[in-house]
């Protein structure tokens, strides 16, 4: 299995490098729709072709390979003849290939109402070179060759996910608007363990939280049908990415909704009570229409300030939690300490209502779109303890480039295992200086309801015994040595300058 994974990873990297070379004068923000749209088209065409060939072999028994109902019954998208990958690849060298791909996208949407308004029609644009597009079609055409739908979907799913991450890195700050770093999503899912029930993300971006939740269930021998997903996204372009990302994984996205007003003004799932909420809302948003929602029924623990949506998001999540539900979400670290505009009072009310389960301080540089320090909040209804677990993970993670960090599997496992051992009151759990602390409610009250983990876990204990006298003597000796070297160097410089002056006089 490990060997297969490495092969897939190398395939993804090679494909990315090759696809990026074909980009030419198109920026990453635009090019991602070109590439991801083609990957999606290849996926639905492969899935269609497998069933098509099967029906072809059953014609004598009355099967019809062109009957749309045959595909609908198997939950497979119907692909018309001129939209099939083989047709497009046969015509990839034609100067009008961009027009043919756009027409293929239109045909697929016409035949499959659930994809209406989802697929990109960007291939006939003047800045997309026809030769480069043909090269891209040939490149993607070599992905997941073979007739096994499961294998094809798995490989194409990996490619789609990998490309989303690479485009987010390429776009930098803008990329963070549609993509939550994979390691952060994995950590949230490992801590929440959404095995069964309704999973909700009211700011779902490109759908990474849902994909990772489904993966978690599969990897732990659970049943995919035991969880159902609900989502909302206000950016239509990002919503399209989410719909494709979920479809390529075979995940039902019928309850992933779009409207441009967003979750606060136009809640698409007003009556939903979710078992798990997993989200990465935008940090410190000031224009969230708070002035229009002063008396909203969601603000049970206090009216959030008009100039910052952080505590509006928290209460929106709580409003949608079932009586035993758990929410795990990312927030700016400032939300742990802020006392402005009543935020401190809301935080106090949440703590006194026994809703805060765990707080994780994250390392810097994890997020593409902001350098603002971030934290994870875990909130739960029906808690049986008043203690709160604090985890300081600032020292974890590793750099993947000069500006960006990520958490390793060992890092996310360490944090998640600590949380689960604490939750079940395992004998394996223990407070670790500098890393984790189970704090009593009174301790939190004594610190004026501040939730910064560093205030509770303390400083990491050093294994070396620090001898001040010895260290001071060593430093003093080093300083004297450096001062003597500086004196000797200055004397040499003055001597050389004097020689230069004498030669100048001569």
């Amino acid at each position: 299995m490990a060997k297969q994974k490495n092969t897939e990873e190398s395939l993804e990297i090679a494909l990315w490098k090759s696809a990026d070379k074909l980009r030419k004068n198109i920026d990453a923000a635009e090019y991602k729709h070109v590439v991801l749209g083609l990957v999606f088209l290849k996926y639905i065409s492969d899935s269609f072709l497998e069933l098509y060939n099967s029906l072809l072999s059953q014609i004598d028994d009355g099967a019809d390979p062109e009957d749309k109902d045959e595909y609908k019954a198997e939950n497979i998208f119907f692909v018309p003849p001129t939209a099939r990958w083989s047709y497009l690849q046969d015509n990839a060298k034609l100067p009008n290939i961009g027009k043919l791909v756009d027409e293929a996208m239109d045909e697929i949407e016409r035949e499959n109402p659930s994809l209406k308004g989802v697929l990109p029609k960007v291939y006939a644009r003047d800045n997309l070179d026809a030769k480069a597009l043909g090269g891209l079609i040939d490149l993607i055409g070599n992905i997941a060759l073979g007739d096994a739908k499961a294998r094809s979907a798995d490989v194409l799913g990996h490619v789609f996910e990998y490309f989303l991450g690479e485009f987010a890195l390429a776009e930098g700050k803008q990329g963070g608007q549609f993509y939550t770093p994979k390691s952060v999503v994995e950590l949230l899912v490992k801590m929440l363990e959404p095995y069964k029930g309704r999973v909700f993300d009211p700011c779902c971006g490109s759908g990474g939280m849902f994909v990772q939740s489904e993966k978690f269930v599969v990897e732990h021998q659970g049943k995919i049908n035991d969880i159902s997903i609900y989502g909302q996204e206000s950016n239509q372009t990002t919503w399209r990415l989410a719909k494709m990302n979920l479809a390529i994984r075979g995940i039902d996205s019928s309850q992933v909704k779009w409207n441009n007003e967003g979750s606060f003004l136009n809640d698409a799932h007003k009556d939903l009570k979710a078992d798990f909420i997993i989200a990465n809302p935008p940090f410190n948003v000031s224009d969230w229409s708070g002035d229009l929602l002063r008396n909203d029924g969601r603000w049970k623990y206090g009216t959030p300030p008009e100039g910052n949506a952080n505590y509006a998001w928290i209460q929106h999540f709580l409003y949608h939690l079932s009586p035993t539900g758990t929410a795990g979400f990312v927030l700016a670290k400032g939300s742990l300490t802020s006392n402005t505009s009543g935020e401190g009072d809301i935080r106090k009310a949440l703590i006194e209502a026994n809703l805060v389960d765990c707080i994780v301080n994250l390392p810097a540089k994890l997020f593409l779109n902001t350098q603002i320090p971030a934290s994870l909040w875990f909130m739960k209804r029906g808690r049986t303890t008043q203690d709160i677990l604090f985890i300081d993970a600032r020292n974890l993670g590793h750099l993947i480039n000069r500006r960006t960090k990520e958490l390793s599997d060992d890092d996310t496992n360490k944090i998640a295992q600590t949380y689960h051992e604490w939750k079940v009151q395992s004998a394996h759990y223990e407070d670790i200086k500098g890393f984790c602390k189970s704090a009593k409610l009174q301790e939190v009250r004594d610190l004026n309801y501040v939730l910064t983990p560093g205030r509770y876990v303390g400083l990491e204990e050093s294994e070396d015994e620090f001898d001040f006298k010895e260290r001071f003597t060593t430093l003093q000796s080093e300083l004297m040595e450096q001062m003597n070297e500086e004196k000797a160097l200055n004397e040499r410089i003055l001597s050389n300058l004097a020689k230069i002056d004498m030669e100048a006089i001569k």
Side-chain angles (χ1 to χ4, degrees):
M1 288 297 290
K3 187 175 181 182
Q4 183 183 354
K5 183 179 179 184
N6 289 336
T7 304
E8 286 171 4
E9 286 175 350
S10 63
L11 169 69
E12 292 155 10
I13 293 167
L15 281 167
W16 168 257
K17 288 178 179 175
S18 299
D20 201 39
K21 282 180 185 175
L22 296 168
R23 179 149 60 105
K24 296 186 178 178
N25 61 334
I26 305 177
D27 64 36
E30 188 177 352
Y31 193 56
K32 73 170 176 284
H33 300 292
V34 173
V35 177
L36 294 173
L38 288 177
V39 174
F40 181 74
L41 188 57
K42 175 71 165 67
Y43 159 75
I44 63 172
S45 190
D46 281 4
S47 301
F48 169 85
L49 185 61
E50 187 189 8
L51 183 54
Y52 180 88
N53 289 334
S54 175
L55 294 170
L56 206 59
S57 67
Q58 301 172 47
I59 285 181
D60 292 342
D61 298 325
D64 181 1
E66 297 295 341
D67 183 357
K68 298 170 193 172
D69 290 336
E70 296 273 16
Y71 299 90
K72 188 175 181 181
E74 297 295 328
N75 201 26
I76 289 173
F77 297 112
F78 179 80
V79 184
T82 55
R84 292 168 195 171
W85 192 265
S86 55
Y87 175 83
L88 295 173
Q89 194 157 10
D90 288 344
N91 291 281
K93 301 296 187 289
L94 295 180
N96 67 332
I97 182 59
K99 183 171 180 289
L100 294 179
V101 177
D102 280 346
E103 288 172 353
M105 295 294 187
D106 278 328
E107 286 186 72
I108 289 168
E109 286 193 352
R110 210 162 26 245
E111 298 291 350
N112 303 278
S114 66
L115 293 177
K116 185 175 176 57
V118 171
L119 304 185
K121 293 95 176 177
V122 295
Y123 298 93
R125 291 184 180 179
D126 292 338
N127 63 341
L128 182 56
D129 178 63
K131 286 184 179 178
L133 177 58
L136 196 57
I137 289 171
D138 284 337
L139 183 71
I140 292 169
N142 292 322
I143 301 175
L145 293 175
D147 59 356
K149 178 195 167 192
R151 177 182 176 278
S152 172
D154 191 49
V155 175
L156 285 163
H158 277 297
V159 169
F160 196 95
E161 186 179 9
Y162 181 81
F163 277 20
L164 269 175
E166 290 301 306
F167 277 120
L169 281 171
E171 289 186 53
K173 186 173 182 179
Q174 294 302 312
Q177 296 179 3
F178 68 85
Y179 184 79
T180 301
K182 186 179 177 183
S183 65
V184 176
V185 180
E186 287 178 343
L187 176 57
L188 280 165
V189 171
K190 284 178 181 178
M191 294 181 76
L192 279 177
E193 294 189 324
Y195 285 115
K196 189 174 183 178
R198 295 161 298 234
V199 180
F200 179 43
D201 182 351
C203 41
C204 67
S206 55
M209 301 289 189
F210 300 133
V211 170
Q212 200 60 45
S213 295
E214 294 267 356
K215 276 189 191 176
F216 179 84
V217 173
V218 171
E219 287 169 3
H220 291 80
Q221 290 77 50
K223 296 177 182 177
I224 289 296
N225 293 334
D226 281 348
I227 71 169
S228 52
I229 65 167
Y230 299 80
Q232 182 165 350
E233 175 56 44
S234 61
N235 183 303
Q236 189 177 32
T237 303
T238 302
W239 171 78
R240 288 172 177 158
L241 286 177
K243 295 286 279 188
M244 288 193 291
N245 193 17
L246 296 172
I248 210 169
R249 289 285 184 180
I251 299 172
D252 176 18
S253 65
S254 58
Q255 293 301 317
V256 177
K257 307 291 187 179
W258 165 77
N259 62 59
N260 57 15
E261 296 132 305
S263 293
F264 292 131
L265 283 179
N266 188 355
D267 188 348
H269 301 284
K270 287 187 177 66
D271 300 323
L272 174 67
K273 298 300 179 184
D275 301 291
F276 301 97
I277 291 176
I278 180 168
N280 175 22
F283 292 1
N284 301 329
V285 173
S286 58
D287 56 346
W288 64 281
S289 303
D291 55 321
L292 303 177
L293 298 166
R294 304 311 298 161
N295 299 312
D296 195 277
R298 286 169 288 187
W299 316 147
K300 183 178 177 181
Y301 302 94
T303 304
E306 294 179 18
N308 194 313
N310 288 343
Y311 278 83
W313 280 117
I314 292 175
Q315 295 188 82
H316 182 73
F317 300 148
L318 286 170
Y319 174 80
H320 280 291
L321 266 189
S322 71
T324 57
T326 308
F329 50 90
V330 187
L331 273 189
K333 187 179 171 183
S335 62
L336 303 173
T337 58
S338 173
N339 285 312
T340 58
S341 305
E343 288 184 331
D345 294 330
I346 301 174
R347 188 170 59 252
K348 174 182 176 181
L350 295 171
I351 293 167
E352 290 292 350
N354 200 26
L355 291 165
V356 181
D357 203 40
C358 175
I359 302 290
V360 180
N361 212 355
L362 291 174
K365 299 183 178 181
L366 285 179
F367 294 87
L368 302 170
N369 59 329
T370 181
Q371 292 301 309
I372 297 172
S375 59
L376 298 184
W377 288 58
F378 291 87
M379 306 189 75
K380 180 170 176 56
R381 291 195 181 278
R383 288 194 342 128
T384 57
T385 176
Q386 287 194 315
D387 294 1
I388 299 173
L389 177 64
F390 292 94
I391 297 176
D392 193 343
R394 285 177 296 174
N395 294 327
L396 300 182
H398 59 277
L399 286 169
I400 56 174
N401 58 42
R402 287 185 302 166
R403 300 187 307 273
T404 313
K405 262 188 177 184
E406 71 176 12
L407 296 166
S408 68
D409 282 342
D410 287 343
D411 293 333
T412 55
N413 288 336
K414 178 181 179 180
I415 297 168
Q417 184 177 350
T418 300
Y419 178 51
H420 293 305
E421 287 176 352
W422 172 80
K423 275 206 307 183
V424 299
Q425 299 181 331
S426 165
H428 295 292
Y429 173 80
E430 61 176 345
D431 291 343
I432 300 173
K433 276 275 191 182
F435 179 65
C436 63
K437 169 69 185 290
S438 179
K440 301 291 184 187
L441 175 59
Q442 190 56 49
E443 293 178 70
V444 181
R445 287 170 175 159
D446 292 343
L447 287 176
N448 198 29
Y449 300 96
V450 164
L451 292 177
T452 308
R455 298 287 297 273
Y456 298 90
V457 304
L459 296 174
E460 185 177 359
E461 291 182 347
S462 174
E463 294 181 4
D464 299 326
E465 291 186 6
F466 182 75
D467 188 322
F468 175 78
K469 185 176 180 181
E470 180 184 347
R471 185 67 176 139
F472 179 78
T473 304
T474 302
L475 289 172
Q476 188 179 41
S477 175
E478 289 174 358
L479 178 62
M480 293 302 295
E481 188 177 335
Q482 289 170 359
M483 289 175 68
N484 289 335
E485 288 178 3
E486 181 185 14
K487 182 180 178 183
L489 183 60
N490 286 337
E491 289 173 354
R492 283 174 60 190
I493 292 171
L494 289 171
S495 175
N496 289 334
L497 286 172
K499 288 178 185 177
I500 294 171
D501 288 344
M502 290 301 292
E503 289 174 3
I505 291 169
K506 290 175 182 177

